[in-house]
Structures are given as structure tokens and as C-alpha cells.
Amino acid sequence: MNAPSPHHLMPTDEDGEQLRLPVIRDAPVADVLEVLQEGDISILGRMPYSSNATFLVRIDHATTPTAAIYKPERGERPLWDFPSGLYRREIAAFELSEALGWHVIPPTVERDGPLGVGSVQLFIDADFTEHYFTLVAEDRHHGDLRRICAFDFIANNTDRKSGHCLASRWGPIYGIDQGLCFASDFKLRTVIWDFGGEPFDEELCTAIGSAADPPADLARWLRPDELSALAERAEWLADFGRFPDDDGGRRWPWPLV
């Protein structure tokens, strides 16, 4: 599966050449958040094949420009099983990842942008022909991928496609598109099952156990029942002590990439 993910095709210029965008690379998270929160936003274009309105934007802050992904609430399609405000779950995912010390979700903030309130997330400059199914073939990526796998179980991610795992050009792998996370009913859907049955190492198990007491800041983005369910999943996973398997073969998203 070497085809690029259609969710992350880069826009091109008038000559059909891929746009080269400014991106903050490997900077302290606090500095990135300041740029995302305070910089001036200009829309460069709409990302293709996205279910909801998703825009590539440029953010200019002092002498530090960067590309970012902007998802306004007004561009969301109504869903029967998730309330409006999916962008809030994108922010909750980032904050949970930071609280766990895993740093597998790009810095994400709430902004009142050109099309109203929504999430603004650091754009991950990556080789978009790479995705989970190609990355997992290399052992050097397994640390990040294990953390994303555990994160998705705790966050109850219902849509972890292969193309939602991006290997940044500065090294780490990030998970993107977390709008369909944190439901109180367990409905995990993911392509990451290669680690099923493997025991957690001590560091991973300790971090998972800490999520049984969710960060207080998550209450700004999630409902009380969703926070309680998150805590229960984390406690169960820490007690289980290893990566779950999908014995029934039903917990896969579609399309896979």
C-alpha cells in the first residue's frame, strides 16, 4: 500500500508543483502554541476529500510563519452519534497526549478564525506516500506507533485510518484527525493491531494508568460522561497490561488508508 492518502494531498501552484510551506519544526510546544494562538490567519485552500470543511492556512506571528490546519465548527457535517463541535475533540486529543507525555498529537488550539470558531493545528510536513502500513514495516517507528495505538484505545478513536499516521520530516510520527474520539460508548476503529498481545513496558503502563485520573483541563472540551468513560478505559487497559487484539476483525475503519 504505497499510494498516498487522499486525505492529505498537498495543494499545488499554478504550474502543478507542490507548494512548499513554512512549518515550525521541532520547536518547544509552548512556542508553537503561541504562534497558533496569536498569529494572523490567512486561508490558502481547502483540503480535498475531507468529510468536514478543513482548510490549509498560513499563520504569521512576528518573524515565525507556519502552515496549519483549520477546522471551523460551522463546516462540520451533523452526526447522529457525536454532538456538534468536533473541533473540541481535536483539542482534547492534543491535551491528553501532552498530559501523558507522549507528544503524538500535533499542537492544537481553539481560534476564532476567518470562518468562525474552530481548531487550528500545526501542519505536519511529511512524505504523504507514507502511512501506517508502510511505517510499521520499520522497527524504528514502533515506539511512536505503540504510543498512538495506546492513545487511540484510551481516547476511543473511531477513525484511525492508515493515512492518519504521519512521519514528520523532523522525525516523530504524529496522529491526526481526532475529531471522532472520546465517545462514552466504546466504538474503537483502528488499523493499528500489529502490537496485539504485546505486554506494555513500565513507562507505557505508568502513563496509561495516569489517564485513569484525566487532566482537569479536559473538562473544558468533553462531557462528564465522556471523561468518566475515558478514565474507565485507561484503568482497564493498565490492569490488562498489554495491547488488545481484535479477535472479531470488526474494529477496522473504512477506507483503511
Side-chain angles (χ1 to χ4, degrees):
M1 296 187 178
N2 291 317
S5 166
H7 297 278
H8 310 292
L9 295 177
M10 282 292 296
T12 57
D13 60 23
E14 294 179 354
D15 298 323
E17 296 294 325
Q18 181 173 304
L19 288 178
R20 301 306 302 172
L21 300 169
V23 178
I24 301 176
R25 297 169 179 251
D26 199 24
V29 171
D31 293 349
V32 179
L33 293 176
E34 180 180 350
V35 172
L36 296 177
Q37 191 71 65
E38 304 296 336
D40 296 326
I41 302 177
S42 55
I43 294 178
L44 299 177
R46 184 165 180 170
M47 300 299 286
Y49 305 107
S50 296
S51 299
N52 298 312
T54 302
F55 297 93
L56 178 66
V57 299
R58 177 184 170 111
I59 300 183
D60 288 284
H61 179 265
T63 59
T64 306
T66 193
I69 297 296
Y70 168 48
K71 296 184 177 182
E73 181 177 15
R74 64 187 288 187
E76 296 174 2
R77 295 168 56 187
L79 297 173
W80 68 269
D81 54 347
F82 282 89
S84 61
L86 298 180
Y87 80 91
R88 299 166 63 84
R89 297 167 191 270
E90 299 272 7
I91 302 167
F94 163 69
E95 293 191 355
L96 176 60
S97 170
E98 292 301 292
L100 293 171
W102 290 348
H103 316 298
V104 292
I105 308 300
T108 312
V109 301
E110 183 181 51
R111 286 289 303 269
D112 189 1
L115 298 175
V117 68
S119 63
V120 173
Q121 183 176 89
L122 179 69
F123 177 80
I124 301 302
D125 187 16
D127 177 356
F128 297 113
T129 64
E130 297 277 8
H131 48 83
Y132 174 75
F133 292 129
T134 63
L135 297 171
V136 74
E138 298 187 48
D139 290 347
R140 64 190 177 96
H141 296 315
H142 285 187
D144 286 341
L145 294 176
R146 285 187 177 96
R147 284 185 283 272
I148 293 174
C149 179
F151 174 90
D152 285 344
F153 189 96
I154 296 169
N156 197 16
N157 193 343
T158 72
D159 193 36
R160 176 64 72 205
K161 297 181 175 68
S162 185
H164 295 172
C165 295
L166 301 182
S168 66
R169 296 193 188 277
W170 54 93
I173 296 175
Y174 293 90
I176 62 169
D177 285 358
Q178 274 77 223
L180 299 182
C181 288
F182 300 110
S184 55
D185 295 330
F186 189 64
K187 53 179 73 180
L188 178 71
R189 296 292 185 275
T190 177
V191 298
I192 307 180
W193 294 107
D194 293 81
F195 309 115
E198 291 186 10
F200 300 137
D201 61 30
E202 182 177 354
E203 181 179 356
L204 196 63
C205 194
T206 298
I208 292 169
S210 72
D213 184 17
D217 289 347
L218 291 187
R220 180 180 176 187
W221 312 111
L222 303 175
R223 301 190 312 244
D225 63 310
E226 293 169 337
L227 288 172
S228 295
L230 185 160
E232 291 174 3
R233 290 190 300 270
E235 184 175 8
W236 182 91
L237 190 60
D239 290 343
F240 190 58
R242 59 187 184 272
F243 290 98
D245 279 312
D246 177 29
D247 296 330
R250 297 182 178 181
R251 294 197 176 278
W252 292 72
W254 188 260
L256 296 179
V257 178

